[in-house]
Amino acid sequence: MAEIIDIRTDRDRALAEGVRVLAEGFPVAIPTETVYGLAADATNPAAVTRIYETKGRPQFNPLICHMADMAMAERYALFDPISRLLAEAFWPGPLTLILPLRPETREDSRIHALATAGLDTVGIRLPQGFAGELIAALDRPLAAPSANTSGKVSATSAQHVADDLGERIRLILDGGAAPVGVESTIIKVEGDTVRLLRPGGVPAEAIERVAGVTLLRPEAAGAAIEAPGMLASHYAPEAAVRLDATTIAPGEAVIRFGHDAIAGIEEAKAVFDLSPSGDLGEAAANLFDMLKRADTVGAVRIAVTPIPNRGLGEAINDRLQRAAAPRE
Ligand code: TXA
Ligand code: MG
């Protein structure tokens, strides 16, 4: 079973142990502001392989590489002017930029092709808080997907990680509940076009204000899906999920948002309120935990009431649609 160290009471030991296990080439579960990450040294192929093995993740699905600061990011990637503006506005924070890899990066400190799935681009973000300190202390970029079995709901607490991956990893660093609660927004700039590959913790509207252009959505782009992890049937609980529910069938678990009356709710197996005050930020922070809890009450189905598709609501609805998608 993984050791769990609380960074809020034991920060120095968490940093030291984190660096030690990472330097030995093993993955460590780390708190970030979005979700918990399963982190490993992005330059060490054995360490990156262990991420894929631990998650049961297909190796054609590239990982996000987390950097300590802008100087580290620039050692590995080339920034166009719009990406630079976005980095200045939102880093450290829940934004991932897909950027061309710098071809001339020193051989011995290169991000390994296993982390980028052999692409000539890399997904980079600077996480807030402890994760950034850990990367600086290790002095290597950390490849880190969400710390969950591939295809399952992402972890927003150390307990979620322990329940899912505890038997398969050595160390979990506990930073409490992830404050944002949904993964980073993924953006790729192509010339004058700015593509939204995944809605996430930075609302699309905020990115449009800084970039000064309207984002191209995946559907509008009409191209092959460039974030393979974003295929349907991701974020799947065991129970079936029904969206836009305005009435409840007996025995369903309800995940609700807002104050509208819901017919049949008194027959529900359990009711989870994403945000009693109707706040989308609070709803995002609660989303994955409530999906997991709704999955444990023995309900016939999980019914989710409508959620506005603005601000963080776009990321919430994206994750819910994947949770509700038909399973293979
Ligand atoms: O908030 C987050 O982004 C969390 C925390 C831990 O940082 N990480 C996360 O990683 O969600 P993951 O691996 O679950 O999702 C990474 C997504 C995948 O959909 C992957 O396909 C896409 O990023 N991605 C990574 N590198 C890419 C690249 N070079 N081009 C296109 N998509 C890429
Ligand atoms: Mg994930």
Side-chain angles (χ1 to χ4, degrees), residues 29-326:
I30 62 167
T32 86
E33 71 278 42
T34 57
V35 298
Y36 276 69
L38 186 64
D41 178 349
T43 68
N44 176 343
V48 175
T49 297
R50 291 188 176 108
I51 293 180
Y52 288 104
E53 285 171 356
T54 304
K55 283 183 60 96
R57 174 173 172 129
Q59 295 209 355
F60 57 76
N61 190 1
L63 307 173
I64 293 172
C65 294
H66 298 69
M67 306 284 167
D69 50 35
M70 196 64 192
M72 187 184 254
E74 296 208 72
R75 282 216 294 278
Y76 297 99
L78 297 164
F79 285 75
D80 61 90
I82 296 178
S83 293
R84 189 175 296 279
L85 270 180
L86 294 175
E88 281 164 4
F90 299 111
W91 281 356
L95 172 72
T96 295
L97 295 169
I98 307 298
L99 300 167
L101 276 166
R102 221 178 240 288
E104 70 274 20
T105 304
R106 283 202 339 272
E107 189 66 49
D108 65 343
S109 67
R110 225 179 235 167
I111 290 175
H112 197 271
L114 277 167
T116 57
L119 299 173
D120 53 11
T121 55
V122 59
I124 288 185
R125 92 177 180 92
L126 267 58
Q128 294 169 356
F130 177 83
E133 285 175 49
L134 181 64
I135 298 162
L138 183 71
D139 197 23
R140 295 273 162 165
L142 288 180
S146 51
N148 53 276
T149 303
S150 187
K152 297 294 177 196
V153 179
S154 300
T156 53
S157 71
Q159 191 57 53
H160 292 162
V161 182
D163 291 345
D164 185 3
L165 303 178
E167 305 286 346
R168 280 177 263 162
I169 59 179
R170 297 184 177 193
L171 181 61
I172 299 171
L173 302 179
D174 182 357
V180 176
V182 290
E183 296 83 350
S184 59
T185 305
I186 304 182
I187 292 289
K188 186 176 187 187
V189 177
E190 290 168 339
D192 296 335
T193 303
V194 183
R195 297 178 56 191
L196 177 67
L197 298 186
R198 175 176 78 180
V202 179
E205 297 91 323
I207 291 171
E208 289 178 331
R209 274 196 296 277
V210 172
V213 296
T214 303
L215 296 182
L216 210 62
R217 301 304 207 268
E219 301 79 17
I225 293 179
E226 273 208 53
M230 299 313 297
L231 290 169
S233 184
H234 222 66
Y235 307 94
E238 299 295 326
V241 178
R242 181 169 76 85
L243 302 182
D244 293 322
T246 49
T247 63
I248 301 305
E252 285 185 326
V254 183
I255 297 181
R256 71 176 299 173
F257 181 83
H259 303 289
D260 293 348
I262 307 164
I265 197 160
E266 58 292 338
E267 302 266 23
K269 187 90 179 176
V271 179
F272 301 91
D273 194 339
L274 285 171
S275 171
S277 66
D279 178 84
L280 287 166
E282 185 182 22
N286 282 327
L287 178 68
F288 291 143
D289 183 61
M290 289 186 176
L291 266 177
K292 284 171 193 282
R293 282 160 57 199
D295 210 15
T296 62
V297 297
V300 296
R301 206 176 298 105
I302 300 171
V304 188
T305 71
I307 294 163
N309 207 42
R310 61 182 148 73
L312 287 173
E314 188 174 358
I316 295 172
N317 284 318
D318 172 84
R319 305 307 186 269
L320 285 170
Q321 277 150 19
R322 291 171 208 289

